[in-house]
Amino acid sequence: MAGIWLDVLDGIARTCREHGRGDLLQAVRDKRVQLLDPTLRVLVVGEPNQGKSQLVNAIVNAPVCPVGDGSTTVLPTVVRHGEVASAAVVHTPPAAGPVDAGTVERTAVPVDRIASAVAGTLGRRPGGGPAHVEIGLPRALLGAGLVLVDTAGSDEATAIGGGIPIAAVSRADAVLLVSDSTRELSVAEINMLLHITRSHPNVVVVQTKTDLVTDWRAVAERNRRHLAEAGVPAALIPVSSALRLRAAVTDDRELNAESGFPVLIARLQRDLAGKADPLARASVALTARTVVEQLAAPLRAELESQEAQQQSGPISQLHAAQREVDELRRCSTRWQNTLSDEMGDLLSDIEYDLRDRTRQILRMVDEAFDTADPLVAWDTFQDWLERSMTEAAEANHEWLVQRCDWAARRVAANFARYGYDVLPPWSVTVPEDLGDRLPEIERPHIDRFTASQKVITGMKGSYGGLLMFGLALTLAGMPMINPVSIGAGALFGGKSIHDESRQLLRRRQSTVKTAIQRHVDDYFVRMNKDCRDTVRQVQRMLRDHFTALTEELQEAIIQSFRTAKQAADTDMAVREQRQREIRLKMTRLAALYDQAQQLTGARTAPAGLGSPA
């Protein structure tokens, strides 16, 4: 009958070895030795003063464990079959795994001094260490293979360093948690049961001291509800150790039945008879659950870590490189748009500035030659005009230089994220020969009022005046040429000369203004052409500079992208291989778990395993 569960247990051991878990392998080996042992090891645990020692005494019908207010269980007490009553303090080496009989030290203790041995004051080796009291007793129940282990109270055991009683659960075939009927199960006891049932399939809650509480049945019912609500798969058996011991003395069968011990003894005998198969199957199934949970948890964590790391490491570097490629593409579009916009604005502003400066010069020319005579002021005016136009050209070119530098910095700002100086190594300057580039002003042809022209103009005017006034005076009987007509002719001749002189001045002024207007227009066209040529030259140089910079960055980024992609592909291949290995291991663990659970018919997936996909 042991063949099926033993094969499964050996399969669990092989799995532990394959996963490199020597600790779990040793635990499985210990479980194998334990299940092949025909004895039934029953662990009695619970809080202090709940009647654990008295329960052991009642089961074997002998006062083997000390009880009473002055008695304290410090060392675990193992009660097994013996041909004669005997007691000894057993010291075991603090090593994991099966204990070699040659390394066990036994110190015999008189039967009447068992209380001192259990209290740890007799037979214990100096320096402490793992130890327990072993009692042999000739009883038929013990002779059938039952071994009882009485433990110290959980809080006392922790305080003296003797080890928490739950630590021995893995070496027990059955666990009896003792709680008296004076109260309901405490939170600490429920938690202890939850912990025990996770690693042990055979747990019984023994409710003692029913003889002291009249409504012990109500307490038992409430305790069963607490167990059901907490999800603790443990039976509850109410008993009275006092009634059991009294019935043994008086051989009273009815009193023994009232004590509840026949039910408990029948449960222990059934467990003893079923250890070779039903109990072993449940134990192997639970062992498989525990082992699979511990083996699957790191695999699941590693698989989740592998999936989480897909967004980091080489993959994140690949994504970062791809973002850099996209960002450089956007940067290329931005700087080209910026350069085009800046150069367009620059041409418009420079042309407007030059036009405004020439208009100011023309306004000053108009104001000057509204009163000045070009024949007199031309030389002085020519020097002023050349100087003004040179200053206007220099100011316009200085602003052009500043705006070109500003445009270069605006374009370079698009590359600020790359962390180094990207300004071109050259700069635009004002030409030193700017004055030589200006067109020379030609002296306009100006009509002069010569002496012969003045004489002729005066004669024309005096003739008209003489004739007009002479004819008028002849009507009065005077001769045509008389002093009055002669004076009038002289007056009209002078006025004609003055009027002709003014008209010639206005013609000269208009001629000069027109000539200067043409000269300034020629100046504007030439300077505007120079500015436009300079702007286009700067635009080409900036375009070539930033294009070369973009190509350099693109080459570096694409190389980084290729490196990152290669690393990501390699990492992805390694990661996928490892994930396949993890999923394969988890699939095998799931198969092992299902095989173990088929021993009992349970198919609940253990925590941490889940789906291997």
Side-chain angles (χ1 to χ4, degrees):
M1 296 296 291
I4 299 177
W5 62 260
L6 192 58
D7 290 341
V8 175
L9 194 61
D10 291 341
I12 296 174
R14 286 192 299 271
T15 302
C16 293
R17 187 184 302 108
E18 292 172 357
H19 285 253
R21 291 295 300 271
D23 54 337
L24 295 180
L25 176 61
Q26 186 60 50
V28 173
R29 287 174 176 173
D30 293 344
K31 180 62 68 174
R32 189 178 193 277
V33 173
Q34 174 193 338
L35 294 178
L36 291 176
D37 186 354
T39 61
L40 182 72
R41 187 179 180 89
V42 180
L43 190 67
V44 182
V45 299
E47 295 182 351
N49 302 319
Q50 299 299 304
K52 299 188 299 297
S53 300
Q54 187 75 320
L55 176 68
V56 174
N57 293 341
I59 291 175
V60 298
N61 282 326
V64 292
C65 296
V67 295
D69 296 335
S71 301
T72 302
T73 301
V74 174
L75 297 181
T77 304
V78 179
V79 181
R80 63 174 66 250
H81 180 264
E83 296 298 332
V84 294
S86 62
V89 177
V90 180
H91 298 272
T92 56
V99 178
D100 187 359
T103 61
V104 174
E105 298 182 10
R106 306 175 64 89
T107 304
V109 175
V111 177
D112 57 353
R113 301 291 302 278
I114 290 178
S116 299
V118 172
T121 60
L122 179 64
R124 193 172 188 184
R125 186 175 57 188
H132 66 273
V133 177
E134 189 172 290
I135 300 175
L137 196 66
R139 289 291 186 273
L141 185 59
L142 300 178
L146 180 66
V147 177
L148 300 174
V149 181
D150 183 20
T151 64
S154 58
D155 54 349
E156 295 176 4
T158 302
I160 64 173
I164 301 176
I166 299 177
V169 169
S170 61
R171 297 188 298 272
D173 299 306
V175 178
L176 304 182
L177 185 135
V178 180
S179 178
D180 63 33
S181 300
T182 59
R183 58 174 177 77
E184 300 176 15
L185 289 171
S186 65
V187 175
E189 289 173 329
I190 294 293
N191 291 335
M192 182 184 294
L193 285 168
L194 288 171
H195 188 83
I196 293 174
T197 52
R198 283 187 57 84
S199 58
H200 204 284
N202 190 17
V203 181
V204 177
V205 177
V206 180
Q207 181 177 315
T208 61
K209 303 180 182 180
T210 58
D211 57 298
L212 299 180
V213 180
T214 56
D215 60 341
W216 62 267
R217 291 182 178 83
V219 175
E221 187 60 30
R222 288 194 295 271
N223 284 339
R224 289 189 178 95
R225 286 201 302 270
H226 292 329
L227 294 175
E229 292 172 357
V232 177
L236 187 140
I237 302 177
V239 298
S240 170
S241 300
L243 295 180
R244 163 75 170 179
L245 293 173
R246 189 182 307 167
V249 173
T250 60
D251 195 19
D252 189 336
R253 293 181 178 273
E254 293 183 359
L255 188 60
N256 183 53
E258 184 180 351
S259 70
F261 270 84
V263 177
L264 178 59
I265 298 299
R267 172 62 183 262
L268 295 178
Q269 290 175 337
R270 184 170 66 253
D271 291 342
L272 181 60
K275 180 180 178 180
D277 190 64
L279 189 60
R281 286 171 176 263
S283 182
V284 170
L286 194 56
T287 299
R289 180 186 184 90
T290 303
V291 169
V292 168
E293 284 180 352
Q294 296 194 44
L295 294 180
L299 293 176
R300 171 64 68 180
E302 184 179 358
L303 185 60
E304 293 175 353
S305 176
Q306 291 276 351
E307 294 173 351
Q309 288 177 359
Q310 289 183 356
Q311 302 303 322
S312 61
I315 299 298
S316 64
Q317 294 175 5
L318 177 61
H319 293 165
Q322 181 62 54
R323 288 193 296 270
E324 287 295 329
V325 172
D326 297 338
E327 178 60 28
L328 182 61
R329 187 180 298 112
R330 290 190 292 269
C331 177
S332 179
T333 302
R334 286 197 302 269
W335 76 256
Q336 292 181 31
N337 292 337
T338 302
L339 178 60
S340 177
D341 294 342
E342 289 295 329
M343 292 297 105
D345 294 343
L346 176 58
L347 284 174
S348 177
D349 293 344
I350 290 299
E351 181 177 356
Y352 177 82
D353 178 75
L354 185 61
R355 175 66 71 181
D356 182 65
R357 294 179 187 277
T358 56
R359 285 177 177 175
Q360 292 180 10
I361 293 175
L362 290 176
R363 281 195 294 269
M364 296 179 69
V365 169
D366 290 342
E367 293 175 0
F369 284 106
D370 281 343
T371 57
D373 186 355
L375 291 176
V376 178
W378 174 257
D379 293 335
T380 303
F381 170 76
Q382 183 178 4
D383 294 339
W384 172 85
L385 181 61
E386 291 177 352
R387 186 171 61 255
S388 297
M389 295 178 69
T390 302
E391 291 176 353
E394 290 176 349
N396 185 257
H397 273 74
E398 287 179 357
W399 195 39
L400 173 62
V401 169
Q402 295 176 1
R403 287 293 302 272
C404 287
D405 182 70
W406 165 258
R409 294 183 182 276
R410 284 292 305 276
V411 177
N414 292 282
F415 295 86
R417 71 187 307 271
Y418 297 102
Y420 58 91
D421 189 11
V422 296
L423 287 174
W426 44 263
S427 61
V428 184
T429 58
V430 178
E432 296 181 357
D433 60 343
L434 184 60
D436 299 335
R437 299 182 183 181
L438 299 179
E440 295 183 0
I441 183 170
E442 297 181 358
R443 186 184 183 94
H445 178 71
I446 302 175
D447 294 333
R448 294 177 176 273
F449 198 15
T450 63
S452 58
Q453 291 175 336
K454 291 180 180 180
V455 171
I456 294 173
T457 301
M459 291 179 66
K460 290 180 179 179
S462 62
Y463 174 76
L466 177 65
L467 182 61
M468 181 178 59
F469 277 91
L471 290 175
L473 290 176
T474 57
L475 296 177
M478 295 180 64
M480 181 175 294
I481 299 175
N482 55 62
V484 174
S485 61
I486 293 173
L491 179 63
F492 271 79
K495 184 178 183 302
S496 296
I497 293 173
H498 181 268
D499 291 343
E500 184 65 22
S501 177
R502 288 178 60 85
Q503 290 178 3
L504 286 175
L505 174 61
R506 285 194 292 271
R507 282 198 298 270
R508 288 195 299 269
Q509 290 174 339
S510 176
T511 300
V512 168
K513 289 180 181 179
T514 303
I516 294 175
Q517 175 70 47
R518 288 195 300 268
H519 176 72
V520 172
D521 287 343
D522 293 341
Y523 161 85
F524 174 80
V525 170
R526 181 172 297 183
M527 289 298 99
N528 188 45
K529 177 67 165 54
D530 289 345
C531 291
R532 285 180 173 273
D533 291 344
T534 302
V535 170
R536 290 192 179 95
Q537 183 180 5
V538 171
Q539 183 176 7
R540 293 188 186 101
M541 290 189 295
L542 290 177
R543 180 196 62 196
D544 295 341
H545 172 74
F546 287 106
T547 299
L549 178 63
T550 302
E551 291 175 353
E552 180 182 349
L553 289 172
Q554 184 176 7
E555 182 178 356
I557 292 175
I558 289 178
Q559 181 61 36
S560 175
F561 175 78
R562 290 172 180 169
T563 303
K565 187 176 187 305
Q566 183 178 2
D569 292 341
T570 303
D571 180 77
M572 181 62 70
V574 174
R575 195 186 305 277
E576 290 179 352
Q577 176 64 26
R578 180 55 184 164
Q579 290 178 358
R580 285 193 295 269
E581 293 176 358
I582 293 175
R583 290 190 175 96
L584 180 59
K585 289 183 178 180
M586 295 185 68
T587 301
R588 291 174 178 174
L589 288 177
L592 177 64
Y593 175 79
D594 290 340
Q595 183 182 9
Q597 299 310 302
Q598 288 175 1
L599 296 174
T600 59
R603 299 300 299 270
T604 304
L609 184 61
S611 174

